[in-house]
Amino acid sequence: MTRLMSVALLVLLAASSSTSADALSDRWTKFKAGSFVKIKTTAKLSGEEMVEESKFTLTEVTADFYALKIETSMGGNALPVTDVKFPLTPSAAQDWTWEEKGISELELDGQKMKCSVRVATSSDKKSLWTVWITEVGGAPLEVKSEKKLVVPGGSRTETSAVIKLSESVKIGEKEVACWVKTVVLEIEGQKAESKVWESRDMPGLVVRSEQKTSSGALVMTTTREVVEFEVK
């Protein structure tokens, strides 16, 4: 199980790190306190299986942070409840300088769409991040991202791309309109490839994800799915 948990850390990175701070800023803050999601995560590695069930409840939103109450059980055993505050201002370690680079045309889900291109450089000038943004459903959507990070002791590459602009996912009796994207993260000989369903109507943004993570000869598959949610 230790191997399973260590490789799972790469999966967590792949689920969120390829999206810029601007794109993530309202994944919780647009909702009111009391909104929640219940998520089931199933990971399999070398015959081992880990099932985790979590409930994330929004408890507070301010100009500086939002707070979540996190209740988790693993294998039917409840873990200690945690309350976590997430800052809405970037830390020094995530300091990027952004520039507008004009308009570029991309083909998305069989449609040609004009996207604004933004390029960021890290404070140490070693890392580069490019994003493509267009309007989908009346709001900006980051449809492509390429990040090359140089970090102490190595490097990391992260890429994501929207492959489908509209797909419905059923959760209980509710139909949730999503877009679908792929995410690839490579770091220190490990690789995580994901397919992710996201929706602006979902607290936390992610509705479902399917991931394959490789670390040497080890391969882990992970499915993360919202099984219940409520919007206040």
Side-chain angles (χ1 to χ4, degrees):
M1 187 61 70
T2 301
R3 290 185 304 168
L4 189 60
M5 293 297 290
S6 62
V7 180
L9 294 176
L10 185 65
V11 173
L12 295 176
L13 282 170
S16 61
S17 58
S18 63
T19 308
S20 71
D22 286 348
L24 295 177
S25 61
D26 69 347
R27 61 165 51 199
W28 279 100
T29 57
K30 65 183 287 185
F31 302 100
K32 295 180 180 179
S35 299
F36 71 84
V37 294
K38 290 183 179 179
I39 297 170
K40 181 180 179 181
T41 302
T42 305
K44 297 180 181 180
L45 171 65
S46 301
E48 298 179 40
E49 181 174 287
M50 177 180 71
V51 178
E52 179 182 278
E53 295 180 339
S54 303
K55 181 181 179 180
F56 298 82
T57 304
L58 181 65
T59 57
E60 187 178 4
V61 178
T62 73
D64 300 316
F65 68 86
Y66 66 90
L68 296 178
K69 177 183 178 181
I70 304 174
E71 303 165 86
T72 303
S73 66
M74 189 176 298
N77 299 312
L79 302 180
V81 175
T82 57
D83 293 281
V84 184
K85 291 182 178 179
F86 296 86
L88 295 175
T89 54
S91 67
Q94 299 169 320
D95 189 17
W96 297 87
T97 300
W98 289 90
E99 295 182 70
E100 301 291 339
K101 292 295 184 180
I103 302 297
S104 176
E105 190 173 75
L106 293 180
E107 184 167 330
L108 302 172
D109 198 13
Q111 304 178 46
K112 290 185 177 181
M113 306 185 74
K114 290 185 177 181
C115 304
S116 60
V117 183
R118 302 181 69 207
V119 177
T121 307
S122 61
S123 55
D124 60 8
K125 309 298 183 184
K126 295 181 180 180
S127 301
L128 191 66
W129 193 353
T130 305
V131 297
W132 288 256
I133 301 169
T134 191
E135 187 173 294
V136 175
L141 177 65
E142 190 174 287
V143 293
K144 185 178 178 181
S145 173
E146 295 178 350
K147 185 194 291 187
K148 296 180 180 179
L149 290 173
V150 177
V151 295
S155 62
R156 187 166 89 199
T157 61
E158 305 169 12
T159 60
S160 69
V162 172
I163 58 172
K164 198 166 185 179
L165 293 170
S166 180
E167 184 168 305
S168 180
V169 174
K170 190 170 185 179
I171 301 172
E173 298 300 317
K174 302 174 183 177
E175 294 282 348
V176 181
C178 303
W179 61 84
V180 186
K181 71 179 184 181
T182 57
V183 180
V184 179
L185 169 63
E186 296 183 77
I187 178 172
E188 298 178 358
Q190 299 181 78
K191 184 176 182 179
E193 300 173 276
S194 309
K195 186 176 181 180
V196 187
W197 288 255
E198 296 180 335
S199 173
R200 296 188 183 99
D201 298 326
M202 179 62 62
L205 194 66
V206 177
V207 175
R208 179 182 174 86
S209 65
E210 299 171 354
Q211 299 150 335
K212 178 182 177 181
T213 307
S214 303
S215 178
L218 298 176
V219 177
M220 180 171 73
T221 59
T222 307
T223 301
R224 179 180 184 270
E225 55 190 334
V226 173
V227 294
E228 184 182 348
F229 72 101
E230 184 173 326
V231 172
K232 299 291 187 178

